[in-house]
Amino acid sequence: TPGFNAVAEGHETRAAELLQRADAVVWLFDAGQAGRASEVEPLERLASLGVRVLGVLNKADRLAGGDVEKVLDLLRRVAPAVVSTVLPCSAKRALGARVTGDEAELQASGFATLRATLDEQFFTKARTLKRAVVERRVVGAVRALRASQTAEAERLAGKMLARHVSILG
């Protein structure tokens, strides 16, 4: 999605809509802006929906070695209920490594670890993740239906009471 700090009008709304339908999310943090307040609310919303999130700290190569760990620790504290794993990565280095076929550079970019983690946490568990999402949606729909039926029953009871009071009154 375009993200929650997008410049174009409507991008943030579209991203929020798509999060409501997500089975799982890869949340891309920018190393230069990681942990912004604007990311906390959508991450907390994901936690409330029970959506699994894999955090990726992109442009990690722009940070000094010790700073990478500091930023990773910050991100783990920002939304620990939803972002349990945050991986450092450099998409630019990974692309260069893929183009040149440099396996050592691909490893150093963090991309190989990211792919392995995606396989382990998402792709091999896709059916289980989907089942959990469907179950949450069905439970939510049943609750909404019950609430609307209760509200309608209360409205009708009030209407009937008012009618009886006017007849007796």
Side-chain angles (χ1 to χ4, degrees), residues 15 32 34 43 47 50 53 59-60 70 85 88 114 122 132 153 165 167:
L43 286 168
V53 176
K59 303 179 187 176
K70 288 177 186 174
T85 303
L114 172 57
F122 291 160
V165 167
I167 292 171

Side-chain angles (χ1 to χ4, degrees), residues 98-116:
R98 295 287 300 261
V99 168
T100 62
D102 186 341
E103 199 57 40
E105 179 67 6
L106 189 62
Q107 287 291 332
S109 74
F111 188 73
T113 302
L114 172 57
R115 281 192 76 170

Side-chain angles (χ1 to χ4, degrees), residues 1 4 14-27 42 45-54 82 122 126 128-137:
T1 70
F4 286 91
R14 181 69 176 142
E17 289 169 359
L18 291 171
L19 285 183
Q20 295 294 319
R21 298 179 17 213
D23 298 336
V25 171
V26 176
W27 193 276
R45 192 172 336 124
L46 287 170
S48 73
L49 296 171
V51 174
R52 183 176 290 183
V53 176
L54 173 63
V82 67
F122 291 160
T128 302
L129 290 170
K130 184 59 144 176
R131 186 175 291 130
V133 168
V134 169
E135 183 177 313
R136 278 194 314 276
R137 288 181 184 151

